[in-house]
Amino acid sequence: MIIFLRPLAFWLLATTLLVSSCALPRVLKQAEEGRTVVARPTPLTASGEAVPFEVVARVPAVHLHKGVAYELLLRYRYEHGLREDTLGRITFTTGNFVYDDEHKGQLLATQKFTIPNTPSRNPGELLAHGQVRELKQNGKVLRSADDLRVARGIADPARLVTREDTVLTLLPEHASNNMSGTRVLPFFFDEDKWFIRGYLGTNVAALEDLIDANQQTKQVLIIAGHSPDSADAHNRLLASKRVRMLLYYYKQRVKTFSYLNKNENIRYDTLAYVRKWDTFLQKVTTSALKADQIDSVVTIINDTKGTFEQKEKALHQLSAFDYIEQYIYPVLRFGTVAVTYTAPKRYDSEVYLLSKKIVEKQIESDALTPEELRYSATLTPLLAEKQRIYEVAAANTNSWEAFHNLGVVLLQRAEKEPSLKIQQAYYRRAAVNFTLAAHRNPTAEFFYHAATAYHRAGDRLEALQNYDYAIKLGGPRPLLRKIFSDRAALEIEVGQADEALRSLQYAGPSYQNYLNRALIEVNREHYDLALEQYRAAQALRPTAAAPIYGMAVVAARQSNEGAVGNFLKQAVALDRRYAQRAVEDLEFQDYAQGKVFREALK
């Protein structure tokens, strides 16, 4: 029996191997006859720093064979075919596919992938390569001869975002003989805290610089308040503690570092704002809230019957409470130090020569007052000289005016710079100086300037933070609307479409906002809504090509070739640059070889 069983077992094993090996070409052929592989979205679309997409593959069910599996190997090739990203595989084995209800006799498999969004990866192509593999260890593999191109290139909405830059100008400089004045420094406290913060958002450094400058100080007024929320408002002594903390800090600094001023010669006045609504209402009326939302808040606060606690609780029921909690409450946890001082006088005749000597380090910087040194920058038309003067002024005085104007000069130099790398370096330096100016004189406008420079430099996280600071500080409605508009543009760039839509709610109607809202709706495949936005933008600027070009993109998404040609013809007639843009645009790749497309671009 043993003599006969061994050859029989050997014969059965050999037969199985032979059948399995012979099955590989047949399975490969059956799988790829009628196979479809598509990527969604098409074209591949970036979302911030990443390109997420899904690959959907269908193959005939008849190819299934025991012990053998059909696979699709996916990779992304770019840099003229010199580099590739291996993405993974889709394997048609049990548990990895379903039977397709819409396509009888087909198996359906989907898988999600992500590749980085970098300039070098566009142009490029997503490729699929089929193979069949024996499922046993060290099983044989048979690969198909050709690659299948699934998608070409990457569409990046960030490159299509509309942002109309605000022109930033130099603050006017004046040199006055009368150098007396009052310096107001705001401080902000954490919720339910009275300790002075030593991190971003404080004026500790500016206060120390003012005291250490040893200008003759006459009076110091210290005010502090609290927000109406329960954590702050229920601590009746909180505002007083914040006042005492600022007073203690100021007196200790004078005692330790000032040789000209003595605490006993300075008049100190203090005021604690406890359970008062006037500051809150002032912030609400200068916020980006809608008129009816502001009226709802004012109605609650002006109700003579309600208690402080009842009014605060009533605010929670408003649709605007999220905005109030995020953008208004934080700045009501404030403290303010106002210092009235005098400084020595200076006549204008010496300013220019002395400033030149200061910049060239021939004399000490205190030969001129900060105002005179900054004023000297207006006496030269050369940006390089202006930059050097403001750099010296900023280094020696730490004044917000010097930092701000240095930032403007650096922006102006960036705009004249042909090298993108050097241009971005200037933008970053400008942003840093705008930030230093904003923290010394915190207003919505100055934080907006910092956000604008970071935005231009491509430092998106820093830009978002500074847009947020600007909104929280409040300001004129046109300014806040522009800040929300630009923040929405940035949120689209980083792939935060939901956040962008929320920002656009407060941004108001504008050409920029209509185009950006349309871009969001196109990417969400809400084409009717996108067309509405493009038409609204066109109504504001009838001679602009961008809205019409956007309508052409919508038509391409809807497979309406005639409308694509019509809209492109109108856009190119208004702006010839859109012809080249259309040729390179992945949205029109299915029409680029057609007569309608070519005729439209003539």
Side-chain angles (χ1 to χ4, degrees):
M1 293 294 291
I2 296 175
I3 294 173
F4 290 101
L5 281 175
R6 285 183 176 176
L8 180 60
F10 178 80
W11 179 81
L12 290 172
L13 177 62
T15 302
T16 302
L17 291 173
L18 180 62
V19 171
S20 177
S21 298
C22 292
L24 294 183
R26 178 167 53 84
V27 171
L28 182 62
K29 181 179 179 181
Q30 290 174 335
E32 296 192 346
E33 287 181 351
R35 173 195 64 184
T36 60
V37 184
V38 296
R40 295 190 302 213
T42 301
L44 302 183
T45 302
S47 178
E49 304 298 326
V51 185
F53 60 93
E54 181 180 63
V55 175
V56 181
R58 290 182 174 88
V59 297
V62 70
H63 90 277
L64 292 176
H65 190 284
K66 185 177 181 181
V68 177
Y70 177 72
E71 298 177 320
L72 285 167
L73 308 179
L74 292 152
R75 65 192 192 279
Y76 188 82
R77 180 187 294 167
Y78 55 101
E79 290 190 1
H80 306 288
L82 299 177
R83 299 188 64 181
E84 286 186 350
D85 292 336
T86 300
L87 305 182
R89 67 181 66 195
I90 297 176
T91 304
F92 284 85
T93 55
T94 303
N96 293 326
F97 66 82
V98 296
Y99 286 89
D100 193 349
D101 293 334
E102 296 181 5
H103 302 80
K104 298 299 182 182
Q106 294 274 315
L107 306 180
L108 173 66
T110 62
Q111 192 162 329
K112 294 182 179 180
F113 301 92
T114 300
I115 60 176
N117 178 28
T118 61
S120 65
R121 285 180 169 80
N122 196 31
E125 53 185 354
L126 176 64
L127 301 173
H129 197 98
Q131 70 174 29
V132 289
R133 176 172 58 88
E134 292 179 335
L135 296 177
K136 63 185 179 181
Q137 187 175 4
N138 299 321
K140 293 184 179 181
V141 176
L142 178 63
R143 302 189 68 182
S144 57
D146 300 318
D147 285 323
L148 172 67
R149 186 164 74 180
V150 180
R152 178 170 66 89
I154 299 171
D156 190 352
R159 292 193 286 268
L160 305 177
V161 170
T162 301
R163 184 166 61 87
E164 299 181 313
D165 285 331
T166 300
V167 177
L168 306 185
T169 58
L170 292 166
L171 298 170
E173 300 285 8
H174 304 284
S176 173
N177 286 337
N178 183 10
M179 301 306 297
S180 300
T182 299
R183 181 80 176 276
V184 180
L185 297 174
F187 290 80
F188 297 99
F189 297 87
D190 290 326
E191 185 178 357
D192 200 29
K193 305 296 181 185
W194 59 89
F195 300 106
I196 298 175
R197 298 192 315 202
Y199 53 89
L200 216 57
T202 70
N203 271 309
V204 172
L207 181 61
E208 292 176 350
D209 292 340
L210 178 60
I211 297 171
D212 297 351
N214 279 292
Q215 294 173 335
Q216 186 67 53
T217 302
K218 297 179 178 179
Q219 180 183 7
V220 176
L221 172 63
I222 298 175
I223 302 172
H226 62 81
S227 62
D229 61 305
S230 57
D232 266 20
H234 289 185
N235 187 345
R236 292 295 187 95
L237 298 178
L238 186 59
S240 298
K241 288 180 178 179
R242 288 169 176 171
V243 168
R244 291 199 298 271
M245 176 58 72
L246 289 171
L247 179 62
Y248 173 79
Y249 189 88
Y250 192 98
K251 286 186 173 182
Q252 285 297 111
R253 189 76 185 183
V254 169
K255 181 179 178 181
T256 307
F257 292 97
S258 180
Y259 59 83
L260 180 63
N261 294 300
K262 302 294 181 183
N263 281 314
E264 53 268 25
N265 297 328
I266 300 174
R267 176 184 169 184
Y268 290 100
D269 294 318
T270 60
L271 178 62
Y273 276 37
V274 180
R275 296 199 164 199
K276 293 187 176 181
W277 291 106
D278 50 348
T279 305
F280 171 78
L281 287 176
Q282 185 270 329
K283 291 293 182 183
V284 168
T285 54
T286 57
S287 70
L289 291 173
K290 298 176 182 178
D292 59 335
Q293 293 175 316
I294 293 175
D295 291 342
S296 298
V297 174
V298 173
T299 300
I300 291 173
I301 302 306
N302 288 339
D303 185 359
T304 57
K305 296 181 181 179
T307 65
F308 188 91
E309 289 82 359
Q310 289 172 339
K311 293 178 181 180
E312 199 278 328
K313 288 181 179 179
L315 293 176
H316 287 256
Q317 310 305 317
L318 298 178
S319 62
F321 182 71
D322 287 344
Y323 183 99
I324 293 171
E325 188 176 41
Q326 184 176 0
Y327 297 118
I328 295 179
Y329 277 1
V331 293
L332 296 179
R333 306 177 187 115
F334 74 96
T336 301
V337 178
V339 182
T340 302
Y341 62 92
T342 58
K345 294 182 179 181
R346 171 72 64 184
Y347 294 101
D348 293 344
S349 58
E350 306 173 47
V351 170
Y352 180 71
L353 291 177
L354 288 175
S355 70
K356 294 280 289 183
K357 292 181 179 180
I358 291 173
V359 169
E360 295 168 2
K361 297 184 178 180
Q362 295 178 5
I363 59 176
E364 295 296 327
S365 60
D366 58 5
L368 287 176
T369 64
E371 289 78 8
E372 289 167 332
L373 182 57
R374 295 196 307 274
Y375 175 73
S376 68
T378 67
L379 305 177
T380 174
L382 301 177
L383 289 177
E385 286 189 7
K386 290 179 184 289
Q387 177 184 337
R388 186 62 187 137
I389 291 171
Y390 282 123
E391 284 174 343
V392 172
N396 292 334
T397 67
N398 281 317
S399 70
W400 63 269
E401 296 94 340
F403 284 120
H404 179 274
N405 279 356
L406 175 56
V408 173
V409 170
L410 290 168
L411 280 187
Q412 293 172 347
R413 296 203 66 177
E415 290 160 3
K416 297 179 181 295
E417 181 58 53
S419 167
L420 177 61
K421 184 177 180 180
I422 298 176
Q423 184 183 66
Q424 288 187 326
Y426 274 123
Y427 281 142
R428 289 189 178 93
R429 288 184 61 190
V432 170
N433 283 282
F434 283 135
T435 302
L436 292 171
H439 284 292
R440 284 161 173 76
N441 185 28
T443 65
E445 181 181 10
F446 290 159
F447 274 110
Y448 171 54
H449 293 175
T452 297
Y454 278 122
H455 198 161
R456 294 185 194 179
D459 292 340
R460 293 168 170 174
L461 180 59
E462 291 288 348
L464 282 173
Q465 290 177 340
N466 281 276
Y467 282 134
D468 191 62
Y469 291 151
I471 293 167
K472 287 179 177 177
L473 286 172
R477 182 173 294 272
L479 173 63
L480 288 177
R481 283 187 167 182
K482 180 57 177 168
I483 296 171
F484 272 113
S485 297
D486 288 355
R487 190 173 81 163
L490 180 54
E491 286 165 338
I492 297 173
E493 292 173 13
V494 299
Q496 298 176 355
D498 290 337
E499 288 80 355
L501 288 174
R502 282 194 286 270
S503 293
L504 287 171
Q505 291 177 355
Y506 300 108
S510 74
Y511 178 77
Q512 171 179 316
N513 294 337
Y514 285 138
L515 290 182
N516 288 340
R517 177 66 181 269
L519 181 61
I520 295 174
E521 302 300 354
V522 167
N523 290 326
R524 292 185 168 189
E525 301 182 1
H526 299 161
Y527 300 127
D528 290 340
L529 293 176
L531 285 174
E532 288 180 12
Q533 299 298 312
Y534 281 132
R535 292 190 186 105
Q538 185 184 24
L540 289 181
R541 298 188 187 176
T543 60
I548 302 173
Y549 186 85
M551 296 178 197
V553 171
V554 173
R557 291 288 188 97
Q558 295 177 320
S559 301
N560 188 340
E561 185 175 11
V564 169
N566 182 41
F567 286 130
L568 284 180
K569 187 174 183 179
Q570 294 179 52
V572 171
L574 291 169
D575 189 339
R576 286 296 308 172
R577 291 174 297 180
Y578 279 86
Q580 182 62 34
R581 177 172 171 177
V583 170
E584 299 172 351
D585 197 331
L586 296 174
E587 297 284 357
F588 305 117
Q589 58 184 332
D590 294 337
Y591 307 98
Q593 304 305 319
K595 180 180 178 181
V596 171
F597 185 83
R598 294 196 302 270
E599 289 291 330
L601 302 188
K602 286 184 178 179

